[in-house]
Amino acid sequence: MNTERYSLAVDAFERVTRLLKEAPEINYQDLAATYGITAQAQYYASKGIFTDALKGTIDKALELNPNEPNTLSLLAINAFTSEDFSLAIEYWSKVLEAYPEHPAAGQMKQGINEAQRRAGIELSDFSSDSSGSLIDVFVSLDETLLGSVKPGDTVFVFVKNAENANQASPPLAASRHTVSELPLTINLSDADAMSPAAKLSDAKLVNVTARVSKSGQVSAASGDFEGRAELVELGSEQQVKINISELVK
């Protein structure tokens, strides 16, 4: 993840915030929304760590608008990736209740359904088949690494848009597992999106990465192991096969 680009985005949004606060008549809804998108940029710039600055921005956004959708969506995504599925459902549901016609309502509903599925609870009635599998991935661990990993080590599988591979952006879909589950087959769809604004169905070509994280953190670190499949065409019925074999230096 290119944190420098997100840091630049934070600076830009903070300048917008200052301009909004200096306006003769402050539009508090716009100000809350700007705090919300600033918080999202801070979140990715800090690699998902809730810094004091990020917490402060979130507090400011929700103080102005308790239902600010960018902020609540960020909290939902963070809860989902932390496997607190009940909390993720709560945040997404709050957005949908306040903004039923939100442009990302469909993705939020899919997120809720996926959180419900993972939590082992009944799906809400807006569940549909529109988020069906878009990519089928088979992940294996190279035999030469069996002595270098532990069964409980975290395995991340994530998909990024190949057409903007050089840009800082969240994965289009991601899934978390452990080494003990390998080899495994994963069916990824829009329900596995990390952000309602970035989903698999929006892409044509993707890069798929599977990584064993020794620290359990999403970002790659020295000593991790990974495998990749690049320029995968979505819509193809062919299974993507990834063998984790490369050492991250």
Side-chain angles (χ1 to χ4, degrees), residues 56-99:
T57 304
I58 289 173
D59 289 342
K60 290 175 183 177
L62 296 180
E63 182 179 0
L64 293 172
N65 179 4
N67 296 317
E68 203 292 302
N70 298 301
T71 308
L72 293 177
S73 295
L74 170 62
L75 292 171
I77 291 167
N78 182 67
F80 187 95
T81 56
S82 301
E83 299 186 0
D84 190 342
F85 301 120
S86 296
L87 188 58
I89 293 168
E90 179 182 334
Y91 284 130
W92 273 320
S93 297
K94 191 172 182 180
V95 178
L96 291 173
E97 182 178 355
Y99 304 96

Side-chain angles (χ1 to χ4, degrees), residues 41-61:
Q42 289 174 320
Y43 178 78
Y44 291 115
S46 66
K47 300 181 180 179
I49 298 174
F50 266 58
T51 62
D52 290 339
L54 171 56
K55 292 176 183 177
T57 304
I58 289 173
D59 289 342
K60 290 175 183 177

